[in-house]
Amino acid sequence: MKVILILLFIVLTPVLIITIFRKYKVAKSIGTVIMAFAVGILLSFLFSFTHFFSESETVSFNNNANLLMEISVILAIPLMLFSSDFRLWAKSLPKTVTALCTGFVAVVLAVIASFFLFQNSGIDSLAQLGSMMSGFYTGGNVNYFAISRMIEPKPDENLILLAYTSEMIIVFPFIIFLTAGGYKLFRYLLPFKDKTKIAEDNPNDNVKAEVENYDKMLSKKIFPKTMLALLLSIVFFAIGAGLSLLITGKLNELVIILTITTLAISASFYKKIRLLPKTFELGMFFILIFSVIVASKFDITMLNSNALTIFSFVMCITLFAILLHCIFCRIFKVSGDLFSVAIVALLCSPPFVPPVVAAMGNRKVLISGITIGLVGYALGNYLGVGLFYLLGLF
């Protein structure tokens, strides 16, 4: 019964978070994902220090939570991609494309360099970990965990959580640094102006400069159309599962997730699907479920000497990627503000972009940050899997 109640609490938590997010300005500045992480971490302490579950209940909870997490990712990916107009962004935001592409190149080089630096460090599954970290820098935690489920052999669960915890320890202070004025450093290092006409200035463009607008989501006019998008996501999952059974004879997550991603990108080129309302917000609902579960897996007792090596590896990739990305943006004359939102979008995901934009006071780069994050969601899984096979050759 306790397992069922906790799982029900996790599923309903996004409703509470979204309600708070809509009503209070301070919640908008914090962001829904951070609030979900906070709830998950509180649950992790409940599980770790109060012996809340018996041994059998712990196994049951972990199995069901992992299943719920995988379903959330599978449904969230297409929902968050349906509203993406990749053709429009590629045409109207050349500097955004530059910031995105240089970010991808930077993380590939950073992962490869760190892989060789730590090849004899004693870290198990180094190729798997490197490929997952490339996912983190192109789509945040969603791609990170998606890639961990796609590659074979799968990395150990403790390794996944240790690396994830390490990245969170690095990323959140960096986000605080940016919002507290750190963006001024990048304005100094990248003192360029982006004169590109952005999509939100064009009345004929349908890209919205606002994310997580949950208003009227349950209205009679919008709700049925949003459920149609959910149904389409389920159909894509069914197609992916069918192809997986046909190709591998089992439910292979690599085949399923790549199929879903490819179908969602293809569907976004169809205007009627792209204009379905609130698909991004519904995808965020599943991301919040996913975030609570991920954070609930945090276990402070896992921190040991091996954890320090993993933390060093993750730190090395992150610093190399940011440094190389900054150098590339300097070469291609990408502005400091665009670079800042590009980092946030790639490392964290689109919902983290608005608080940083608000701190900078430059709303012109809002749509660029969202663009980079969404394309990162779309392409990060392909990149991570490709890097895994490349690193496996060494």
Side-chain angles (χ1 to χ4, degrees):
M1 179 61 72
K2 283 192 291 186
V3 171
I4 295 174
L5 289 175
I6 291 295
L7 290 172
L8 183 62
F9 172 78
I10 290 173
V11 171
L12 294 178
T13 294
V15 177
L16 176 61
I17 290 175
I18 290 169
T19 301
I20 294 173
F21 178 79
R22 291 181 61 202
K23 287 188 174 182
Y24 301 101
K25 288 185 178 180
V26 66
K28 289 183 180 291
S29 64
I30 294 172
T32 55
V33 176
I34 292 180
M35 288 191 283
F37 277 129
V39 173
I41 290 173
L42 288 175
L43 286 177
S44 75
F45 283 107
L46 174 67
F47 301 152
S48 300
F49 298 109
T50 64
H51 305 290
F52 186 80
F53 289 135
S54 65
E55 185 174 345
S56 61
E57 287 174 329
T58 299
V59 172
S60 175
F61 173 78
N62 287 334
N63 290 338
N64 285 283
N66 287 339
L67 177 61
L68 182 58
M69 185 169 67
E70 291 175 5
I71 292 173
S72 297
V73 170
I74 286 170
L75 294 178
I77 289 174
L79 286 167
M80 300 182 80
L81 292 176
F82 284 154
S83 60
S84 306
D85 192 339
F86 296 102
R87 291 174 301 182
L88 173 64
W89 287 334
K91 292 178 181 178
S92 63
L93 299 169
K95 288 297 182 181
T96 298
V97 175
T98 301
L100 172 69
C101 293
T102 52
F104 270 62
V105 173
V107 74
V108 169
L109 295 177
V111 168
I112 293 174
S114 300
F115 175 82
F116 285 110
L117 282 174
F118 284 80
Q119 201 165 23
N120 298 315
S121 64
I123 299 177
D124 295 328
S125 308
L126 194 62
Q128 287 95 325
L129 185 55
S131 67
M132 290 188 300
M133 292 311 303
S134 72
F136 210 116
Y137 198 82
T138 53
N141 54 28
V142 176
N143 283 4
Y144 175 82
F145 280 91
I147 292 170
S148 74
R149 297 296 188 266
M150 295 161 68
I151 53 182
E152 293 286 350
K154 288 182 172 56
D156 180 74
E157 189 73 20
N158 286 339
L159 177 67
I160 296 172
L161 295 177
L162 271 174
Y164 179 77
T165 302
S166 299
E167 187 65 20
M168 288 296 97
I169 292 172
I170 297 166
V171 167
F172 279 123
F174 182 69
I175 297 298
I176 293 172
F177 164 74
L178 282 178
T179 54
Y183 59 86
K184 295 177 183 178
L185 171 64
F186 297 119
R187 284 179 176 175
Y188 174 77
L189 295 174
L190 303 168
F192 310 110
K193 292 191 179 297
D194 185 2
K195 298 180 181 179
T196 304
K197 183 178 178 62
I198 63 174
E200 64 179 324
D201 291 334
N202 189 338
N204 296 320
D205 293 341
N206 67 344
V207 177
K208 304 300 181 184
E210 184 177 13
V211 291
E212 292 195 88
N213 181 359
Y214 298 97
D215 293 344
K216 300 180 180 179
M217 192 169 175
L218 299 179
S219 66
K220 292 181 179 179
K221 183 178 180 180
I222 292 177
F223 184 73
K225 295 179 181 179
T226 309
M227 289 299 100
L228 180 61
L230 178 60
L231 177 61
L232 189 58
S233 299
I234 295 171
V235 170
F236 285 175
F237 166 65
I239 294 172
L243 282 176
S244 175
L245 291 172
L246 184 64
I247 296 171
T248 67
K250 61 179 182 179
L251 292 177
N252 182 289
E253 288 165 308
L254 169 62
V255 176
I256 293 173
I257 293 178
L258 290 185
T259 299
I260 289 171
T261 303
T262 304
L263 290 174
I265 293 172
S266 301
S268 72
F269 285 86
Y270 185 50
K271 188 174 181 180
K272 288 186 177 180
I273 293 177
R274 190 169 63 248
L275 296 182
L276 287 173
K278 306 297 182 182
T279 57
F280 185 90
E281 284 75 10
L282 182 58
M284 277 304 303
F285 178 86
F286 291 107
I287 291 299
L288 295 178
I289 294 175
F290 167 84
S291 299
V292 173
I293 296 173
V294 167
S296 73
K297 292 177 175 291
F298 174 76
D299 186 356
I300 198 170
T301 62
M302 290 191 304
L303 301 180
N304 51 37
S305 58
N306 185 50
L308 181 60
T309 306
I310 292 172
F311 177 84
S312 300
F313 178 68
V314 172
M315 173 72 84
C316 187
I317 291 176
T318 306
L319 291 182
F320 274 3
I322 292 175
L323 178 61
L324 287 171
H325 195 180
C326 186
I327 291 172
F328 291 149
C329 285
R330 175 83 184 187
I331 293 171
F332 291 101
K333 297 184 178 181
V334 173
S335 70
D337 284 4
L338 179 54
F339 171 73
S340 295
V341 295
I343 293 176
V344 173
L346 291 171
L347 274 176
C348 300
S349 67
F352 283 84
V353 172
V356 176
V357 170
M360 293 190 300
N362 181 8
R363 195 171 182 272
K364 288 180 66 178
V365 296
L366 174 60
I367 196 69
S368 299
I370 297 168
T371 300
I372 291 169
L374 289 174
V375 178
Y377 276 144
L379 302 182
N381 290 335
Y382 299 103
L383 177 68
V385 172
L387 264 178
F388 170 67
Y389 286 112
L390 175 63
L391 296 177
L393 297 175
F394 301 99

